[in-house]
Amino acid sequence: MELSTTVSELRYALDTFFFLMSGALVMWMAAGFAMLEAGLVRSKNTTEILTKNICLYAIACTTYLVVGYNIMYVDNGSGGFLPSIGTLIGTQAEGADHSLESDFFFQVVFVATAMSVVSGAVAERMKLWSFLIFSAILTAFIYPMEGYWTWGGGFLSEAGFSDFAGSGIVHMAGASAALAGVLLLGARKGKYGKKGQIYPIPGSNMPLATLGTFILWFGWFGFNGGSQLMVSDFENATAVGQIFLNTNAAAAAGAITALFVCKSTWGKADLTMVLNGALAGLVAITADPLSPSPLAAVSVGAVAGALVVFSIVGFDKIKIDDPVGAISVHGVCGFFGLMVVPLSNSDATFGAQLLGAVVIFAWVFGASLVVWAVLKATVGIRVTEEEELEGMDVHDCGIDAYPEFVSVK
């Protein structure tokens, strides 16, 4: 009895530590988003996008602790449409495999990831304070509701919807909120001509964008690997190894495919597309990084890497301005990732996957559209033309990111 108790305690400690370290890796993805977006916006908007990223993380951690986690998990699990509301993070379950606090920490960095998707898509023309107000609403209410329907034991989980680490629940949800904001916000000045011309607006720092992508790639091992929830026995430890392998393989295939698509289409190796290709592979494999074989994971990443290039170009053609390609990476490839799950996972069905994708998009897009519209009608969501021209670093933050090289172009 004493020996078995000791083994149980050791497994509890190991799984708790695994959860915490996985959460720390996902938290580090916040730095990845910040660096990627800082590199892909113009220098005059760098400080402002960095401010948005650190503030949205802080807001997400607070609102999810006070409200969101309660909606999504506490005292739930009986199924249905409406959750019950508990108190803060609830109480430790008898015989749990890991500490409740480590579970909360792992979940809170996911909601911050969903909100980080939004910041890049609305960059360079959205008011800082309007964005922060929306961040609080998304992380406190909009995300936790669809999270309850899926991971929290609600009706989508009962219907057989499968999303291992959040291609839809996290990434497509963030992209849906971003799309709603972009549609009401409009494009950046000078992005599109009156006769349908598309004018590229290059980012300010490609080394920073590349660093951000590598940080995201690194953090994704915690994102997907940690979603196995345990590592303390043979089966789960082996599964985590498979998840790491498939996650890395999909990202690499996405980057390579994007590279070849760019070269064959335009004759150039577009770095921004290669970066987004890697991220597209990561997003797509996130729906199920365990079931596919390594070669199947390569295929998923490769298709996503090609898909994201054509998606970014397609959104530009219909004048939906997304400075970092977030809607394509996280939305289009998130949906793709959901829909290919049944190809390798016999427990998933195309019908349940489509139902889940439609519900997540409809809820997050619809709710976000209402919130954005209210903000637009009250405090406004877009900066003035003068502020956009001069850059939001000066107007919102009063600090230039690169004071020796200030430009208003």
Side-chain angles (χ1 to χ4, degrees), residues 107-269:
Q107 296 298 332
V108 76
V109 289
F110 272 56
V111 68
T113 298
M115 190 60 220
S116 294
V117 174
V118 182
S119 59
V122 301
E124 301 204 289
R125 73 269 201 211
M126 173 166 278
K127 288 184 175 181
L128 173 63
W129 286 96
S130 297
F131 174 84
L132 297 181
I133 292 171
F134 180 81
S135 299
I137 297 171
L138 178 90
T139 55
F141 179 66
I142 298 176
Y143 172 90
M145 280 299 297
E146 57 97 9
Y148 160 67
W149 296 334
T150 50
W151 288 337
F155 76 99
L156 286 178
S157 64
E158 290 186 321
F161 176 68
S162 178
D163 188 1
F164 185 87
S167 286
I169 297 167
V170 178
H171 295 281
M172 194 181 73
S176 301
L179 178 62
V182 168
L183 291 177
L184 291 179
L185 191 61
R188 292 168 291 175
K189 295 294 182 183
K191 176 63 178 176
Y192 304 114
K194 294 181 179 179
K195 296 182 179 180
Q197 305 97 320
I198 302 171
Y199 300 108
I201 301 179
S204 61
N205 194 321
M206 289 302 101
L208 211 57
T210 305
L211 174 63
T213 301
F214 273 120
I215 292 174
L216 287 168
W217 193 329
F218 177 66
W220 229 287
F221 296 120
F223 200 96
N224 287 355
S227 294
Q228 183 64 21
L229 308 183
M230 294 178 66
V231 74
S232 60
D233 58 35
F234 178 85
E235 181 180 354
N236 284 290
T238 302
V240 171
Q242 179 76 13
I243 290 167
F244 271 53
L245 190 160
N246 285 347
T247 299
N248 193 62
I256 293 170
T257 305
L259 171 66
F260 279 105
V261 169
C262 290
K263 179 64 177 178
S264 61
T265 305
W266 301 290
K268 303 290 184 181

Side-chain angles (χ1 to χ4, degrees), residues 11-383:
R11 291 187 62 182
Y12 178 91
L14 179 59
D15 287 333
T16 295
F17 182 74
F18 174 65
F19 235 10
L20 291 172
M21 292 303 98
S22 296
L25 282 173
V26 181
M27 184 273 171
W28 187 231
M29 290 173 68
F33 278 111
M35 295 301 97
L36 175 66
E37 293 169 14
L40 293 180
V41 301
R42 287 167 288 184
S43 57
K44 62 183 180 180
N45 296 314
T46 305
T47 300
E48 197 262 359
I49 200 69
L50 294 173
T51 303
K52 283 179 177 175
N53 272 274
I54 194 166
C55 288
L56 77 84
Y57 181 80
I59 289 170
C61 290
T62 305
T63 56
Y64 194 67
L65 172 64
V66 176
V67 181
Y69 189 79
N70 291 267
I71 294 174
M72 192 164 168
Y73 287 115
V74 179
D75 296 331
N76 292 325
S78 58
F81 184 79
L82 294 175
S84 59
I85 305 300
T87 304
L88 283 184
I89 64 171
T91 56
Q92 182 75 47
E94 190 76 26
D97 298 313
H98 51 265
S99 76
L100 180 62
E101 291 78 10
S102 67
D103 181 82
F104 169 79
F105 178 66
F106 187 69
Q107 296 298 332
V108 76
V109 289
F110 272 56
V111 68
T113 298
M115 190 60 220
S116 294
V117 174
V118 182
S119 59
V122 301
E124 301 204 289
R125 73 269 201 211
M126 173 166 278
K127 288 184 175 181
L128 173 63
W129 286 96
S130 297
F131 174 84
L132 297 181
I133 292 171
F134 180 81
S135 299
I137 297 171
L138 178 90
T139 55
F141 179 66
I142 298 176
Y143 172 90
M145 280 299 297
E146 57 97 9
Y148 160 67
W149 296 334
T150 50
W151 288 337
F155 76 99
L156 286 178
S157 64
E158 290 186 321
F161 176 68
S162 178
D163 188 1
F164 185 87
S167 286
I169 297 167
V170 178
H171 295 281
M172 194 181 73
S176 301
L179 178 62
V182 168
L183 291 177
L184 291 179
L185 191 61
R188 292 168 291 175
K189 295 294 182 183
K191 176 63 178 176
Y192 304 114
K194 294 181 179 179
K195 296 182 179 180
Q197 305 97 320
I198 302 171
Y199 300 108
I201 301 179
S204 61
N205 194 321
M206 289 302 101
L208 211 57
T210 305
L211 174 63
T213 301
F214 273 120
I215 292 174
L216 287 168
W217 193 329
F218 177 66
W220 229 287
F221 296 120
F223 200 96
N224 287 355
S227 294
Q228 183 64 21
L229 308 183
M230 294 178 66
V231 74
S232 60
D233 58 35
F234 178 85
E235 181 180 354
N236 284 290
T238 302
V240 171
Q242 179 76 13
I243 290 167
F244 271 53
L245 190 160
N246 285 347
T247 299
N248 193 62
I256 293 170
T257 305
L259 171 66
F260 279 105
V261 169
C262 290
K263 179 64 177 178
S264 61
T265 305
W266 301 290
K268 303 290 184 181
D270 187 327
L271 174 61
T272 61
M273 290 294 190
V274 175
L275 300 179
N276 278 330
L279 297 176
L282 289 164
V283 169
I285 200 63
T286 293
D288 190 347
L290 176 58
S291 300
S293 67
L295 288 180
V298 168
S299 299
V300 170
V303 175
L307 183 62
V308 74
V309 175
F310 296 117
S311 177
I312 289 171
V313 173
F315 276 118
D316 253 350
K317 287 183 177 178
I318 59 175
K319 297 186 177 181
I320 293 179
D321 184 17
D322 180 358
V324 303
I327 297 171
S328 296
V329 170
H330 301 273
V332 174
C333 294
F335 174 74
F336 166 72
L338 289 177
M339 296 312 298
V340 297
V341 169
L343 296 179
S344 58
N345 187 341
S346 59
D347 294 330
T349 65
F350 289 108
Q353 295 303 99
L354 183 60
L355 173 65
V358 170
V359 169
I360 291 170
F361 174 79
W363 162 249
V364 179
F365 178 82
S368 299
L369 194 65
V370 171
V371 175
W372 288 126
V374 171
L375 288 172
K376 184 175 182 179
T378 53
V379 297
I381 60 174
R382 181 158 188 150
V383 299

